[in-house]
Amino acid sequence: MHRQEALHRVRDTSVTSTPPVRVLRVTSNATATVLDDGRAAEIEVNALTQAIAADNTSKNLLMIAAGGLLSGILTPLTPQLIDRIQGGSGNLRMALVAVPFAVLVFFVVRRCSANPVWAALIASVVTMVAFVCAVNAAIFIDGQANGADKIMRNILAGLAGGFVGAGVMALAIALLPAGPRDAALWMRMLLTGTLAGALLAVDSALDLDLTSVLYPVWQAAVAVRLAMVLQRTRFA
Protein backbone atom coordinates (compact mmCIF):
# COMPACT_ATOMS: atom_id res chain seq x y z
CA MET A 1 0.00 0.00 0.00
CA HIS A 2 2.75 2.40 0.87
CA ARG A 3 4.51 1.67 -2.42
CA GLN A 4 1.30 2.30 -4.41
CA GLU A 5 0.68 5.62 -2.60
CA ALA A 6 4.28 6.68 -3.34
CA LEU A 7 3.88 5.83 -7.02
CA HIS A 8 0.65 7.83 -7.18
CA ARG A 9 2.40 10.85 -5.60
CA VAL A 10 5.29 10.66 -8.09
CA ARG A 11 2.82 10.37 -10.98
CA ASP A 12 0.81 13.36 -9.74
CA THR A 13 3.95 15.41 -9.30
CA SER A 14 5.15 14.64 -12.85
CA VAL A 15 1.75 15.53 -14.29
CA THR A 16 1.69 18.83 -12.40
CA SER A 17 5.20 19.71 -13.58
CA THR A 18 4.35 19.26 -17.26
CA PRO A 19 2.32 22.47 -17.89
CA PRO A 20 5.18 24.90 -17.01
CA VAL A 21 7.32 23.23 -19.68
CA ARG A 22 4.60 23.89 -22.25
CA VAL A 23 4.31 27.48 -21.06
CA LEU A 24 8.06 27.93 -21.47
CA ARG A 25 7.86 26.62 -25.02
CA VAL A 26 5.04 28.99 -25.90
CA THR A 27 6.94 31.88 -24.33
CA SER A 28 10.11 31.12 -26.31
CA ASN A 29 8.15 30.96 -29.58
CA ALA A 30 6.51 34.29 -28.83
CA THR A 31 9.91 35.82 -28.08
CA ALA A 32 11.28 34.51 -31.36
CA THR A 33 8.30 35.98 -33.17
CA VAL A 34 8.91 39.36 -31.54
CA LEU A 35 12.60 39.19 -32.45
CA ASP A 36 11.73 38.34 -36.05
CA ASP A 37 9.32 41.27 -36.23
CA GLY A 38 12.00 43.56 -34.78
CA ARG A 39 14.54 42.46 -37.37
CA ALA A 40 12.03 42.90 -40.15
CA ALA A 41 11.22 46.40 -38.94
CA GLU A 42 14.94 47.21 -38.72
CA ILE A 43 15.50 45.96 -42.27
CA GLU A 44 12.58 48.07 -43.51
CA VAL A 45 13.96 51.16 -41.77
CA ASN A 46 17.43 50.56 -43.26
CA ALA A 47 15.96 50.09 -46.73
CA LEU A 48 13.95 53.32 -46.38
CA THR A 49 17.03 55.20 -45.17
CA GLN A 50 19.08 53.93 -48.11
CA ALA A 51 16.33 54.92 -50.55
CA ILE A 52 16.17 58.45 -49.11
CA ALA A 53 19.99 58.73 -49.19
CA ALA A 54 20.07 57.56 -52.82
CA ASP A 55 17.39 60.10 -53.76
CA ASN A 56 19.30 62.91 -52.02
CA THR A 57 22.52 61.81 -53.72
CA SER A 58 20.89 61.98 -57.15
CA LYS A 59 19.55 65.47 -56.45
CA ASN A 60 22.96 66.60 -55.21
CA LEU A 61 24.66 65.31 -58.35
CA LEU A 62 22.14 67.08 -60.58
CA MET A 63 22.72 70.33 -58.70
CA ILE A 64 26.49 69.89 -58.99
CA ALA A 65 26.23 69.19 -62.72
CA ALA A 66 24.15 72.34 -63.16
CA GLY A 67 26.73 74.28 -61.16
CA GLY A 68 29.48 72.92 -63.42
CA LEU A 69 27.59 74.03 -66.54
CA LEU A 70 27.15 77.50 -65.04
CA SER A 71 30.80 77.84 -64.01
CA GLY A 72 31.84 76.61 -67.45
CA ILE A 73 29.73 79.30 -69.08
CA LEU A 74 31.27 81.97 -66.85
CA THR A 75 34.88 80.81 -67.33
CA PRO A 76 35.43 82.19 -70.88
CA LEU A 77 33.81 85.46 -69.80
CA THR A 78 36.14 85.94 -66.82
CA PRO A 79 39.15 87.19 -68.87
CA GLN A 80 37.08 90.24 -69.82
CA LEU A 81 37.04 91.24 -66.15
CA ILE A 82 40.64 90.24 -65.47
CA ASP A 83 41.90 92.44 -68.30
CA ARG A 84 40.72 95.45 -66.30
CA ILE A 85 43.06 94.52 -63.45
CA GLN A 86 46.48 96.11 -63.72
CA GLY A 87 49.62 94.12 -62.87
CA GLY A 88 50.00 90.52 -61.86
CA SER A 89 51.94 87.73 -63.51
CA GLY A 90 50.57 85.77 -66.42
CA ASN A 91 50.05 82.62 -64.37
CA LEU A 92 48.23 84.55 -61.64
CA ARG A 93 45.90 86.15 -64.13
CA MET A 94 45.36 82.77 -65.72
CA ALA A 95 44.54 81.23 -62.33
CA LEU A 96 41.87 83.88 -61.74
CA VAL A 97 40.05 82.61 -64.82
CA ALA A 98 39.30 79.42 -62.88
CA VAL A 99 37.61 81.24 -59.97
CA PRO A 100 34.04 80.18 -60.96
CA PHE A 101 35.02 76.51 -61.02
CA ALA A 102 37.07 76.90 -57.83
CA VAL A 103 33.97 78.20 -56.03
CA LEU A 104 32.02 75.15 -57.19
CA VAL A 105 34.77 72.81 -55.98
CA PHE A 106 34.68 74.51 -52.57
CA PHE A 107 30.98 73.70 -52.15
CA VAL A 108 31.42 70.16 -53.50
CA VAL A 109 34.18 69.37 -51.00
CA ARG A 110 32.20 70.88 -48.12
CA ARG A 111 28.91 69.21 -48.98
CA CYS A 112 30.11 65.77 -50.05
CA SER A 113 32.87 65.13 -47.51
CA ALA A 114 33.73 65.66 -43.87
CA ASN A 115 36.56 68.08 -44.69
CA PRO A 116 36.71 71.34 -42.70
CA VAL A 117 36.37 74.77 -44.27
CA TRP A 118 40.13 75.33 -44.54
CA ALA A 119 40.50 72.06 -46.48
CA ALA A 120 37.76 73.14 -48.90
CA LEU A 121 39.58 76.45 -49.39
CA ILE A 122 42.77 74.55 -50.20
CA ALA A 123 40.82 72.49 -52.73
CA SER A 124 39.66 75.73 -54.36
CA VAL A 125 43.21 77.08 -54.61
CA VAL A 126 44.40 73.73 -55.97
CA THR A 127 41.68 73.93 -58.63
CA MET A 128 43.07 77.26 -59.80
CA VAL A 129 46.60 75.83 -59.85
CA ALA A 130 45.34 72.79 -61.78
CA PHE A 131 43.82 75.12 -64.39
CA VAL A 132 47.17 76.86 -64.92
CA CYS A 133 48.96 73.51 -65.18
CA ALA A 134 46.35 72.23 -67.65
CA VAL A 135 46.68 75.27 -69.92
CA ASN A 136 50.50 75.08 -69.87
CA ALA A 137 50.40 71.35 -70.60
CA ALA A 138 48.07 71.93 -73.57
CA ILE A 139 50.34 74.69 -74.92
CA PHE A 140 53.40 72.46 -74.51
CA ILE A 141 51.83 69.51 -76.36
CA ASP A 142 50.54 71.81 -79.08
CA GLY A 143 54.10 73.04 -79.60
CA GLN A 144 55.48 69.51 -79.66
CA ALA A 145 52.93 68.48 -82.30
CA ASN A 146 53.91 71.35 -84.57
CA GLY A 147 53.48 70.36 -88.19
CA ALA A 148 50.65 67.91 -87.55
CA ASP A 149 47.07 68.45 -88.61
CA LYS A 150 45.38 71.29 -86.66
CA ILE A 151 42.50 69.15 -85.44
CA MET A 152 44.86 66.41 -84.27
CA ARG A 153 47.04 68.97 -82.48
CA ASN A 154 44.01 70.36 -80.67
CA ILE A 155 42.81 66.91 -79.68
CA LEU A 156 46.21 65.95 -78.29
CA ALA A 157 46.58 69.28 -76.52
CA GLY A 158 43.08 68.92 -75.04
CA LEU A 159 43.74 65.38 -73.86
CA ALA A 160 46.97 66.48 -72.20
CA GLY A 161 45.37 69.49 -70.55
CA GLY A 162 42.37 67.47 -69.34
CA PHE A 163 44.64 64.78 -67.91
CA VAL A 164 46.90 67.23 -66.09
CA GLY A 165 44.02 69.33 -64.74
CA ALA A 166 42.05 66.36 -63.39
CA GLY A 167 45.23 64.68 -62.16
CA VAL A 168 46.44 67.67 -60.12
CA MET A 169 42.99 68.06 -58.55
CA ALA A 170 42.70 64.37 -57.70
CA LEU A 171 46.18 64.18 -56.19
CA ALA A 172 45.74 67.26 -54.01
CA ILE A 173 42.18 66.55 -52.82
CA ALA A 174 43.14 62.96 -51.99
CA LEU A 175 45.67 64.36 -49.50
CA LEU A 176 43.06 66.40 -47.60
CA PRO A 177 42.09 65.16 -44.09
CA ALA A 178 38.92 63.39 -45.31
CA GLY A 179 40.19 62.74 -48.82
CA PRO A 180 40.05 59.19 -50.23
CA ARG A 181 43.48 57.57 -50.38
CA ASP A 182 42.47 54.77 -52.76
CA ALA A 183 43.88 55.57 -56.20
CA ALA A 184 41.34 53.33 -57.91
CA LEU A 185 38.51 55.64 -56.82
CA TRP A 186 40.08 58.55 -58.69
CA MET A 187 40.57 56.74 -61.99
CA ARG A 188 37.09 57.53 -63.33
CA MET A 189 37.52 61.21 -62.57
CA LEU A 190 40.93 61.18 -64.24
CA LEU A 191 39.57 59.35 -67.30
CA THR A 192 36.56 61.67 -67.53
CA GLY A 193 38.73 64.78 -67.34
CA THR A 194 41.14 63.44 -69.95
CA LEU A 195 38.47 62.51 -72.50
CA ALA A 196 36.47 65.70 -71.98
CA GLY A 197 39.63 67.69 -72.67
CA ALA A 198 39.46 66.59 -76.30
CA LEU A 199 36.55 69.03 -76.72
CA LEU A 200 39.22 71.71 -77.12
CA ALA A 201 39.20 70.69 -80.79
CA VAL A 202 35.50 71.60 -80.99
CA ASP A 203 36.12 75.07 -79.53
CA SER A 204 38.95 75.59 -82.01
CA ALA A 205 36.96 74.31 -84.99
CA LEU A 206 34.02 76.60 -84.17
CA ASP A 207 36.39 79.48 -83.40
CA LEU A 208 34.66 80.15 -80.09
CA ASP A 209 35.85 83.06 -77.95
CA LEU A 210 33.36 84.21 -75.31
CA THR A 211 31.57 80.88 -75.32
CA SER A 212 32.87 77.34 -75.03
CA VAL A 213 31.87 73.71 -75.35
CA LEU A 214 34.92 72.47 -73.46
CA TYR A 215 34.54 74.35 -70.18
CA PRO A 216 30.87 73.59 -69.34
CA VAL A 217 31.18 69.90 -70.21
CA TRP A 218 34.57 69.41 -68.55
CA GLN A 219 33.71 71.24 -65.35
CA ALA A 220 30.30 69.61 -64.96
CA ALA A 221 31.68 66.11 -65.61
CA VAL A 222 34.72 66.48 -63.34
CA ALA A 223 32.67 68.07 -60.54
CA VAL A 224 30.17 65.20 -60.62
CA ARG A 225 32.97 62.62 -60.59
CA LEU A 226 34.60 64.42 -57.67
CA ALA A 227 31.32 64.42 -55.74
CA MET A 228 30.80 60.70 -56.40
CA VAL A 229 34.28 59.88 -55.08
CA LEU A 230 33.83 61.97 -51.94
CA GLN A 231 30.30 60.68 -51.25
CA ARG A 232 31.33 57.07 -51.69
CA THR A 233 34.09 57.51 -49.12
CA ARG A 234 31.88 59.47 -46.72
CA PHE A 235 29.12 56.82 -46.60
CA ALA A 236 31.52 53.85 -46.65
Side-chain angles (χ1 to χ4, degrees):
M1 290 293 294
H2 293 291
R3 289 181 180 178
Q4 291 180 355
E5 290 177 1
L7 288 173
H8 283 302
R9 288 177 182 175
V10 170
R11 188 177 300 170
D12 293 340
T13 307
S14 64
V15 170
T16 11
S17 62
T18 303
V21 176
R22 292 179 182 174
V23 172
L24 286 175
R25 289 178 182 175
V26 173
T27 307
S28 65
N29 290 337
T31 305
T33 304
V34 172
L35 289 175
D36 289 341
D37 291 341
R39 289 175 183 173
E42 185 179 355
I43 291 173
E44 290 178 0
V45 170
N46 290 338
L48 181 61
T49 304
Q50 291 177 359
I52 293 174
D55 185 54
N56 291 335
T57 300
S58 300
K59 291 180 180 178
N60 287 339
L61 293 179
L62 287 175
M63 292 176 60
I64 291 169
L69 292 174
L70 178 60
S71 67
I73 293 173
L74 294 176
T75 297
L77 300 176
T78 309
Q80 305 297 318
L81 298 175
I82 298 175
D83 288 342
R84 300 179 181 180
I85 302 175
Q86 300 297 328
S89 64
N91 286 333
L92 176 60
R93 298 170 70 87
M94 192 186 305
L96 294 177
V97 176
V99 166
F101 187 48
V103 172
L104 175 63
V105 171
F106 173 85
F107 286 107
V108 170
V109 173
R110 281 293 295 158
R111 186 176 183 84
C112 300
S113 71
N115 281 298
V117 175
W118 64 265
L121 288 173
I122 290 178
S124 298
V125 174
V126 165
T127 301
M128 298 168 68
V129 173
F131 181 81
V132 175
C133 294
V135 172
N136 287 328
I139 293 174
F140 175 78
I141 295 299
D142 182 71
Q144 295 299 311
N146 190 19
D149 182 69
K150 182 180 179 181
I151 296 179
M152 183 57 62
R153 286 170 54 190
N154 288 326
I155 291 176
L156 293 176
L159 290 174
F163 174 80
V164 171
V168 171
M169 288 181 60
L171 180 61
I173 296 175
L175 297 177
L176 294 179
R181 300 295 193 271
D182 188 0
L185 294 176
W186 295 100
M187 292 307 296
R188 291 184 179 180
M189 174 179 163
L190 189 61
L191 181 61
T192 299
T194 301
L195 294 178
L199 292 174
L200 176 63
V202 177
D203 284 2
S204 178
L206 297 178
D207 197 20
L208 300 178
D209 184 18
L210 298 180
T211 57
S212 172
V213 176
L214 168 65
Y215 290 134
V217 175
W218 194 94
Q219 293 180 12
V222 170
V224 168
R225 285 298 188 189
L226 174 61
M228 292 174 67
V229 172
L230 296 177
Q231 285 178 344
R232 183 173 179 180
T233 306
R234 183 176 184 179
F235 295 125

